[in-house]
Amino acid sequence: MKNTIRILSAVLVLSMLLTGCSLWKPVVSSTPDVAATYGDGQTIATGEYLAYLYNAINDTMSTMYQAGKDATTEKYTLGDKKDLTFDEYIPLLVEQNIKKQIVLDKLIKDNGIKFETEEDFKSFTGLHDTYHSLEEARKDYEPGWILSLGISDASYTAVEDKLVLNEDTAFFGLYGKGGAEEIEDKVLREYYGKNYISYKVIAISLDLTDEEKAAAALTSEESKGLTDKEKKEAEEKKLKEAEAKKLKESKEKLEGYLKIVKKENFEKAMDQYRKDLLKEQEEEAEANKTPTEEEEFEPSTDKDNRVNAHRDDEEDSLEKELDKMKNGEVKLIEKLVYAEAPYAVVLQKLDINEPKTVFDDFYEAILKNVQNEAFQKMLDKMIQDVKIEFNQEVLDTCTVAQMMEDMEKASAQ
């Protein structure tokens, strides 16, 4: 990955002297070194501005590509500005991102937030995972790859570090354990108790497979002599019979699993379900003469089967069933519509507060849910208060079109 790294090498030392908008053109040397000034004379170097520009273009194009859209022809909204073209949107996004990082840098500095080593980052799992990903990326970084865009390694990595780490560093440093504005544990636990659910489930789809639908279709013999209307009615009848048969068979299986749960525990029932599924797959493979690899079966654990989720992330149908149940209760539901598909299920409701490690596992997500809205409002207000003056010569030279052209040339090398 060509991501964040700080490498003090001869290449980097040389690259720090280059702050232009393109190495493909001879105008590089005449491009001003400073792209913007803010605060009490603090500056944003042209190389940093270009790194922000590159990230804004790359991220926007990637997002649109994943959505199956052409980023350059889309219309965008940013704040109160609407119907922006790509060339209008990107510079505004760059300005907003720069202001946001100025604000986050100030919050981190003013509150004495320090996450400097991997050990420091371990206090917050999500932040540690992000930091660890950056550390791994640094091992594969290719010094100098960004020079063809007029960006030094130093500028690129400094900006990338900020964009990846700053927001969560400020958030968890402020509101997490030991933070200047630490959110009390009782507030988080109250939110957790009201908004999270915990359960285990064994589910069998009630949708007919293509093979089952084919088996339920009218044969030529059955269709003989029937009008179109009679054929349709006969086909519907056979489909209903097939669906009823599948429901009956699924219910019988689940009744068996339910007995195991009540006699032993959910894990034993889940293991039996998995074994039955493997047996069906093996029989199907044998019938189709498809080679299979024997897999070593490992018994499941409570952690494997337990689902802990925010209510907003679950289907209303499941949530309503769980709300009717007591902690520890287990029951068979003949038909539960989940993600617009019907299932027969064995469902067990669990105590969201047991084991106690469950709350700890969700601590960061809970903290985000409780405090992130207020944090974002604070950031928005602080961003609006940032006074920054951009060098018009840099803006006129280091355009979206120029960066796009350089990116295309660089990718062709």
Side-chain angles (χ1 to χ4, degrees):
M1 288 177 64
K2 296 173 178 176
N3 250 328
T4 11
I5 189 171
R6 295 183 176 88
I7 298 180
L8 294 176
S9 64
V11 173
L12 186 145
V13 173
L14 175 62
S15 71
M16 288 174 70
L17 303 175
L18 300 170
T19 53
C21 299
S22 173
L23 290 190
W24 307 100
K25 295 185 178 182
V27 298
V28 176
S29 59
S30 64
T31 306
D33 292 338
V34 176
T37 306
Y38 67 95
D40 54 358
Q42 294 157 288
T43 61
I44 301 291
T46 299
E48 289 179 76
Y49 179 83
L50 286 170
Y52 278 108
L53 179 60
Y54 167 79
N55 270 286
I57 292 172
N58 194 48
D59 289 351
T60 302
M61 292 192 74
S62 296
T63 300
M64 290 295 108
Y65 177 78
Q66 290 169 8
K69 299 177 180 178
D70 180 352
T72 61
T73 61
E74 286 294 307
K75 292 292 185 181
Y76 299 88
T77 297
L78 190 64
D80 58 356
K81 294 180 174 63
K82 299 179 180 180
D83 294 324
L84 298 168
T85 65
F86 184 74
D87 284 358
E88 292 169 336
Y89 169 71
I90 293 297
L92 292 173
L93 180 61
V94 169
E95 180 179 346
Q96 178 174 283
N97 287 343
I98 289 173
K99 287 182 176 180
K100 184 175 184 178
Q101 295 311 315
I102 290 170
V103 165
L104 289 170
D105 279 341
K106 179 174 172 53
L107 282 173
I108 291 167
K109 182 181 177 182
D110 290 353
N111 290 280
I113 300 168
K114 292 183 179 180
F115 293 101
E116 296 174 339
T117 68
E118 182 160 357
E119 197 60 37
D120 294 335
F121 280 95
K122 280 183 179 177
S123 54
F124 296 102
T125 305
L127 196 51
H128 171 258
D129 289 348
T130 303
Y131 176 81
H132 185 67
S133 295
L134 285 178
E135 287 287 286
E136 289 300 306
R138 285 169 181 148
K139 296 175 184 177
D140 299 325
Y141 185 83
E142 298 173 24
W145 76 271
I146 197 79
L147 292 180
S148 59
L149 304 182
I151 307 170
S152 72
D153 287 328
S155 294
Y156 175 75
T157 57
V159 169
E160 192 76 358
D161 275 354
K162 290 176 185 290
L163 291 172
V164 173
L165 288 173
N166 262 11
E167 186 166 341
D168 276 350
T169 296
F171 180 86
F172 290 117
L174 274 174
Y175 306 117
K177 297 183 188 302
E181 299 180 34
E182 179 180 351
I183 304 300
E184 291 183 9
D185 196 63
K186 67 177 183 179
V187 173
L188 300 178
R189 287 189 177 278
E190 182 180 355
Y191 179 89
Y192 173 69
K194 289 179 180 178
N195 293 281
Y196 280 77
I197 51 179
S198 186
Y199 64 91
K200 294 178 181 178
V201 64
I202 297 174
I204 299 177
S205 173
L206 296 177
D207 273 337
L208 295 179
T209 64
D210 291 341
E211 292 80 3
E212 288 168 334
K213 289 177 182 177
L218 288 180
T219 64
S220 56
E221 188 64 31
E222 290 170 328
S223 300
K224 195 178 292 183
L226 297 179
T227 64
D228 288 344
K229 182 181 179 182
E230 288 170 335
K231 282 182 186 177
K232 184 179 178 182
E233 290 173 349
E235 286 172 348
E236 289 175 350
K237 182 182 178 183
K238 288 196 74 175
L239 274 176
K240 285 182 180 179
E241 288 172 351
E243 289 170 351
K245 181 178 179 233
K246 184 158 190 176
L247 175 59
K248 182 175 181 293
E249 292 172 349
S250 299
K251 186 180 174 184
E252 287 172 355
K253 287 181 184 177
L254 290 171
E255 284 172 343
Y257 302 141
L258 183 61
K259 286 179 182 177
I260 297 174
V261 175
K262 291 182 175 180
K263 186 177 180 180
E264 298 184 68
N265 56 45
F266 197 95
E267 281 56 60
K268 295 288 186 184
M270 177 59 82
D271 290 344
Q272 186 58 55
Y273 165 73
R274 290 167 58 215
K275 288 175 183 176
D276 291 345
L277 202 57
L278 283 172
K279 185 179 178 182
E280 288 176 13
Q281 291 170 348
E282 287 169 1
E283 290 174 350
E284 184 179 345
E286 188 176 339
N288 296 327
K289 296 182 179 180
T290 306
T292 58
E293 292 183 13
E294 189 172 338
E295 296 181 18
E296 185 177 343
F297 186 87
E298 291 187 10
S300 63
T301 65
D302 171 79
K303 191 172 182 179
D304 292 331
N305 299 323
R306 177 183 288 266
V307 178
N308 305 299
H310 194 287
R311 286 177 176 272
D312 289 349
D313 297 329
E314 285 292 0
E315 295 280 335
D316 289 344
S317 56
L318 177 63
E319 192 179 327
K320 287 176 182 176
E321 289 294 341
L322 287 168
D323 285 342
K324 298 176 193 173
M325 301 167 67
K326 297 177 181 177
N327 288 339
E329 183 180 349
V330 58
K331 68 179 181 180
L332 190 157
I333 303 170
E334 289 188 15
K335 187 175 181 181
L336 179 72
V337 177
Y338 191 93
E340 300 182 0
Y343 292 86
V345 305
V346 167
L347 181 66
Q348 183 174 36
K349 181 176 181 177
L350 305 175
D351 184 348
I352 194 67
N353 294 305
E354 295 293 339
K356 298 187 184 305
T357 53
V358 177
F359 173 81
D360 296 333
D361 291 341
F362 279 90
Y363 175 79
E364 289 162 57
I366 297 164
L367 185 57
K368 279 276 188 177
N369 282 321
V370 168
Q371 195 61 24
N372 195 51
E373 185 177 347
F375 178 63
Q376 294 302 328
K377 285 182 179 178
M378 177 184 71
L379 287 184
D380 289 344
K381 186 177 185 308
M382 292 179 72
I383 287 169
Q384 289 175 10
D385 293 340
V386 172
K387 305 299 180 187
I388 186 166
E389 185 176 344
F390 287 91
N391 187 324
Q392 192 59 47
E393 187 178 348
V394 172
L395 298 185
D396 291 341
T397 307
C398 305
T399 62
V400 175
Q402 180 65 64
M403 178 61 76
M404 294 279 284
E405 181 183 333
D406 290 348
M407 288 168 69
E408 187 174 346
K409 287 178 180 177
S411 66
Q413 296 301 301

